[in-house]
Structures are given as structure tokens and as C-alpha cells.
Amino acid sequence: MERLCVILLLACKTFIVNAQFNGFNCDASFHSRFPAERDISVYCGVQTITLKINFCPVLFSGYTDTDLALNGRHGDAHCRGFINNNTFPTVVLFSISLSTLEACGNSLVVTTAQGPNAYGNLSLVQIGNIAGYIDTPDPPTVISYLPGLLYKFSCSYPLEYLVNNTQLASSAAAISVKDSNGTFVSTLNLLLYNDSTYVHHLAIPVSGLTLKTRVFAAVKATNLDRRWNVLMDYCYTTPSGNPNDELRYDLFFGCDKDPQTTVFENGKSQMGRFSFEVFRFVKHKNQKMSTVFLHCVTKLCRSDDCPLLLPICGKRKKRNVSERTAVASDNAVMTAGPIVTRSDETPSNNSQLAQLNTPPFKMNSATSALISAIAILAFMSMCFFILSMSLLRGKYTPPTPLSGTHNPAFS
């Protein structure tokens, strides 16, 4: 009799549990429990944050999907999730748009700290952190036998990335980044253009670009929330596609800038623009063409914070090459083919090279005036000498024979 009662109790419990999970993809042997930390999955995307909550423990705890809401906003239908019963187990999905994340009470906190950037250079580095929670409502009674459910989540976005473009023919580069790592780098491109209008993309001729050709470059963000601006922190070139190449030539970093490089816009919009003149690496002296690879360490900053991150020129410590370190794990690298330049050199002997390399003599105004005065004085002296000789020759008369009658006394 006692054994029969135990069997009846187990059968009743199984029936109740199965009735509780009826219609949903739940397994009573695995999901007859209260929620745990593993029951929530967070996917930090570029445009949206997606939350997945295992619905079966929620059902076991006595709640429905309409009882779950973001940050206690249970009266707002936009802050609730929706059931997806096409998976096992059944989940409740929440989608948070980064452009309207404050609508349901989510918070964005950007922290700024002084520290080394991707290459060990001292810089202000920012991290954006988005946080919130999902909970169930409190009952309108003094006590409750149902557990209160609370799921906390956060997404952290490091706001500095290494962006590369090394192929002038296509003038663009992009990579695919998993949304789970919480990075915006998949929205960044390094583009190259023909002129300052930034309309026509630059195409490389088969023979390569002529030396000192001016190239216009831009780091541009696409499909990114408008609250973020692009701030180029450090742009440099290498002779190979490896951004960690020991041989590199800096275009600009902070207040230090190559004389042939001009920065037009930085930190003011979702595009940073600059230009530089193409050159060749000396190591390619025995080659008809030289390859140049362009890299930029780029930050994303809020429009109000960008002016605070720009360097104060004259007060910054100069960068030391020995302080460079390898690329941090938070940096994503985009790589494509080379910028090709041609040397256009002609054979010449050493004397011709020396003559060509000798700078032309230039006279200033004081030197010109002095030489003119000396020439005038010399001319006037010559005229005075000629005039003096003429006067002296006019006063001298040679002796002539005496005229008159012959005196006979002298004979």
C-alpha cells in the first residue's frame, strides 16, 4: 500500500510538471529548477544587444513571459521580450537598440583613463559600458511564495581599434567580427581618394604611383550610432602588410606630424580625414616599385568627449620608439594589398648627382645692394680717372722753334 502511494505521488508530480511545461520545448528532468546564471546569454552587437533567457526555469518558478521586463518597466510593452519556441530549450528574446538604449532604462557609462594605447604610446583610452537588468514584478501583497527573478547583463566596448587599408585598387577594407566580443571595429573602414573632395576612390595604375603623389585618406564609420565620433590617434606606414613590422614611418601621432602630412578633420564627425605624399622605402632601392602599407589606430568617442581626448600640443611627452609593444587583444586588424609607387630614377654619374644635390646660391637684398654700390663706385672712379688724364694732357704744350730775323752778331 505504501509503495502504491509513492508511485501515485510521483505520477501526480510528473503530470503537474508536464502540464506546467505543456506546449514549450522543455525537459522536466533538466528544467525543473529555479533560474541560474547560465540561463542568460548576452550578445554584444554593433547596433543591437541581444539577450536570450531560458524560459523553462521561469515557467517552473511560476511566471510567464509577460512577467519579464527590462529594468522594471513592466508597464511598457516595448520593454518586454518575446517567446521563441523554435529552439531547445524555449527562450525569451530581448533586443536592445544602441541608438535608443535609454528608452527602457539601460545605462551607458564611458570611462576615460590615461594609459598606453595599442602600441604603448601614452594616450587617453576610453571604454563604453552598457548595463541593465531583467526582472519580475513584485506582488501587491505583503508576502510571496514565488521567488523574485533578476537577470543582470552588461556589454563592454573598448573604443580604440587598429584599422588598416593597404590596397589602393579597391580603396576599402573591412573584416567580419563576432558580435559577442563587443567591438565596433566592423563598422570602420580606411578609404583612399583622388582629391580633397573625397568623392572618387583612388585607383592605382599598373606601373605604380609617381613619387610625391598626394593621396587623400579617410577613416569612416558606417552603420554606427550617431553618438560616436571617429578620432584618429596614430597613423603610420610599413613596407609590409604586417602592422607590427619593425620598420615603419609615422605620418602623425598626437602633436608629432610628418611635414608632408595634413590632417583636415579629426574627432568632429564619423569621418577622420588626412592626406600625405607617397614615397618609397629605401630598402626597396633595387626594385622598380616600392610597396607602402597604411595603418591607423582609431578611437571612438562621444561628441562631447572628443575635444578632451585631443592632444594639447607643446605639453605632451614625445613618443619613444622603444616603448612600442605588440597589438593588444582588443585591437582588430584589417589587411589588404600594397600601395605601389615607382621611383622614376635615371642613371647619372657622381658628378651629376653632386651638382643636382648642390643647393643653388641665393642672394639676399643686402648683398645685392652692396654689389650694386661697388659697381657704381668702380664706374665713377674710372670716369674720374679718364677725365683727370684728359685735363692734364690739355695743359701740356710741346716746344716750338723761335721765329724772327737772324742776328748777324751770332754768326
Side-chain angles (χ1 to χ4, degrees), residues 117-119 158 160-162 183 185 297-298 326-333:
N117 66 5
Y119 283 93
E160 181 173 274
Y161 311 100
L162 177 61
T183 176
V185 72
V297 177
T298 304
V327 180
S329 59
D330 289 332
N331 293 284
V333 182

Side-chain angles (χ1 to χ4, degrees), residues 127-348:
I127 295 178
N129 189 75
I130 299 173
Y133 63 90
I134 298 172
D135 67 348
T136 52
D138 292 328
T141 57
V142 178
I143 64 171
S144 174
Y145 291 100
L146 296 178
L149 306 185
L150 178 65
Y151 302 88
K152 293 183 178 181
F153 67 90
S154 66
C155 283
S156 183
Y157 294 85
L159 301 179
E160 181 173 274
Y161 311 100
L162 177 61
V163 185
N164 301 290
N165 181 327
T166 52
Q167 185 174 3
L168 289 183
S170 64
S171 302
I175 60 172
S176 177
V177 179
K178 292 182 179 179
D179 289 339
S180 58
N181 64 3
T183 176
F184 292 129
V185 72
S186 60
T187 70
L188 298 174
N189 290 307
L190 183 52
L191 309 171
L192 296 138
Y193 298 87
N194 278 329
D195 51 42
S196 59
T197 60
Y198 286 86
V199 175
H200 302 291
H201 292 295
L202 182 65
I204 250 186
V206 177
S207 58
L209 292 173
T210 306
L211 294 177
K212 295 187 70 67
T213 299
R214 184 158 289 276
V215 173
F216 295 83
V219 178
K220 185 178 181 181
T222 55
N223 298 322
L224 187 64
D225 180 41
R226 302 303 301 178
R227 78 183 72 210
W228 303 108
N229 285 354
V230 170
L231 179 63
M232 299 175 296
D233 189 37
Y234 172 34
C235 290
Y236 64 96
T237 59
T238 60
S240 70
N242 180 14
N244 297 320
D245 198 321
E246 290 293 331
L247 180 60
R248 67 181 62 188
Y249 184 76
D250 297 347
L251 296 180
F252 64 87
F253 170 69
C255 297
D256 299 327
K257 184 172 66 67
D258 171 68
Q260 307 304 325
T261 300
T262 303
V263 179
F264 301 111
E265 183 180 7
N266 197 14
K268 297 181 179 180
S269 68
Q270 292 198 337
M271 177 186 286
R273 301 179 296 122
F274 67 97
S275 70
F276 65 98
E277 291 184 355
V278 296
F279 50 85
R280 69 179 181 89
F281 282 97
V282 177
K283 68 176 292 184
H284 297 151
K285 62 181 179 180
N286 295 325
Q287 303 176 12
K288 291 184 178 180
M289 294 185 183
S290 176
T291 56
V292 177
F293 292 77
L294 179 61
H295 318 274
C296 280
V297 177
T298 304
K299 296 177 180 177
L300 293 177
C301 53
R302 291 184 298 187
S303 56
D304 295 338
D305 295 338
C306 284
L308 304 177
L309 299 178
L310 290 172
I312 303 175
C313 297
K315 297 183 179 180
R316 285 177 63 99
K317 175 186 175 182
K318 280 198 173 184
R319 177 172 48 85
N320 188 347
V321 177
S322 62
E323 293 176 355
R324 294 172 178 158
T325 59
V327 180
S329 59
D330 289 332
N331 293 284
V333 182
M334 300 192 299
T335 303
I339 299 171
V340 181
T341 62
R342 63 174 184 263
S343 61
D344 289 337
E345 293 181 346
T346 57
S348 54

